[in-house]
Amino acid sequence: MDFISGETFYIDKPYGWTSFDAVKRLRGVILHRMHTRKLKVGHAGTLDPLATGVMIIVTGRSTKLIEQLQAGVKEYVATLKLGATTPSFDLETEIDATHPTAHITRELIDSVIPGFVGTIQQTPPAFSACKVDGARAYKMARKGHEVNLKPKTLVIDLIEVVSFDPDLMELTLRIVCSKGTYIRALARDIGEALGSGAHLTALRRTRVGDVSVDSCLSIDQAVELIRNSPVTLPEEANSSQLS
């Protein structure tokens, strides 16, 4: 493997890990393998800690492709709990309000969903990595500060109802969308449209561009691959560039 020229890893990010955790884990193994302390390692598209699925990690010169890789269409499978809201729109924070759900039927859901397909305006969650006056929104939100974010234009190509459990008031959706879509914010907005509120209880990114989660490695598999593959060391890379 030539980590300086650039390698790409397709990872199935574990639940509870931040995107930085995944990058840090692979970077540490790579640096140890190369006997060096410096190498660019980055990821193409952040996943929330409570989400799992496709994450693309690149090294060396391949980090220049991050913007291109991030631009790929994303596919998610999301589970929403209807009738309750949280400040973060997911399980990171506790339920802050509950709402009636007796009026919610599959027919109502099918009538509401099409309103979120196409080019839409979406206000990002306060608990997000968006910056406000140079500070990350989630840091301000966790301190109890009010966060005002502007709506962004994005494209949702498809929302398909996978299942709806009227007893548990759980709605599972398959979503195909553009870069920059916050599925937590989509859960919030769908809940509001249903007149009940909602929050995200599970999220899995199943595709980024042409990369599906079925072709991804676990973190442990990626670590073993790095440890057991032939590696071009910095001195060898510099020598090949000069020859």
Side-chain angles (χ1 to χ4, degrees), residues 186-201:
L186 184 62
R188 169 201 63 197
D189 296 341
I190 289 174
E192 289 178 357
L194 289 170
S196 69
H199 65 280
L200 204 62
T201 58

Side-chain angles (χ1 to χ4, degrees), residues 1 6 8 24-26 43 48 86 91 106 113 118 133 170 184 208 229 241:
M1 288 185 161
T8 301
K24 182 180 178 181
R25 177 67 175 125
L26 294 199
H43 65 83
D48 290 337
T86 71
L91 296 176
R106 176 59 189 265
I113 292 298
D133 298 327
E170 287 187 348
R184 286 181 290 131
V208 175
S229 297
Q241 291 171 11

Side-chain angles (χ1 to χ4, degrees), residues 221-243:
Q221 288 172 330
V223 166
E224 286 304 304
L225 179 63
I226 294 165
R227 284 175 173 167
N228 296 320
S229 297
V231 170
T232 299
L233 300 178
E235 296 82 1
E236 296 169 349
N238 292 335
S239 175
S240 65
Q241 291 171 11
L242 294 173
S243 60

Side-chain angles (χ1 to χ4, degrees), residues 45-130:
T46 302
L47 264 181
D48 290 337
L50 303 186
T52 64
V54 181
M55 184 175 170
I56 302 175
I57 297 178
V58 291
T59 76
R61 298 188 186 97
S62 289
T63 55
K64 296 178 181 179
L65 302 175
I66 284 177
E67 284 297 320
Q68 177 183 331
L69 293 168
Q70 284 179 334
V73 170
K74 315 291 194 305
E75 180 182 84
Y76 297 89
V77 174
T79 300
L80 286 62
K81 176 68 172 180
L82 307 180
T85 59
T86 71
S88 60
F89 313 144
D90 66 2
L91 296 176
E92 182 182 341
T93 53
E94 297 293 327
I95 291 173
D96 60 359
T98 57
H99 306 273
T101 58
H103 65 285
I104 299 178
T105 62
R106 176 59 189 265
E107 290 73 24
L108 178 61
I109 292 168
D110 288 341
S111 70
V112 162
I113 292 298
F116 295 95
V117 177
T119 301
I120 67 169
Q121 295 287 309
Q122 183 186 79
T123 302
F127 286 78
S128 69
C130 293

Side-chain angles (χ1 to χ4, degrees), residues 174-206:
R174 183 172 75 90
I175 302 155
V176 180
C177 57
S178 66
K179 169 190 173 183
T181 303
Y182 282 93
I183 307 301
R184 286 181 290 131
L186 184 62
R188 169 201 63 197
D189 296 341
I190 289 174
E192 289 178 357
L194 289 170
S196 69
H199 65 280
L200 204 62
T201 58
L203 180 64
R204 185 156 176 77
R205 187 155 69 190
T206 51

Side-chain angles (χ1 to χ4, degrees), residues 79-82 163-172 201:
T79 300
L80 286 62
K81 176 68 172 180
L82 307 180
S163 65
F164 172 56
D165 187 328
D167 295 321
L168 296 177
M169 276 294 148
E170 287 187 348
L171 173 63
T172 300
T201 58

Side-chain angles (χ1 to χ4, degrees), residues 26-58:
L26 294 199
R27 181 194 284 124
V29 179
I30 292 169
L31 293 181
H32 180 76
R33 192 80 172 81
M34 293 179 67
H35 309 294
T36 186
R37 294 183 178 181
K38 187 176 180 181
L39 179 73
K40 285 185 177 180
V41 182
H43 65 83
T46 302
L47 264 181
D48 290 337
L50 303 186
T52 64
V54 181
M55 184 175 170
I56 302 175
I57 297 178
V58 291

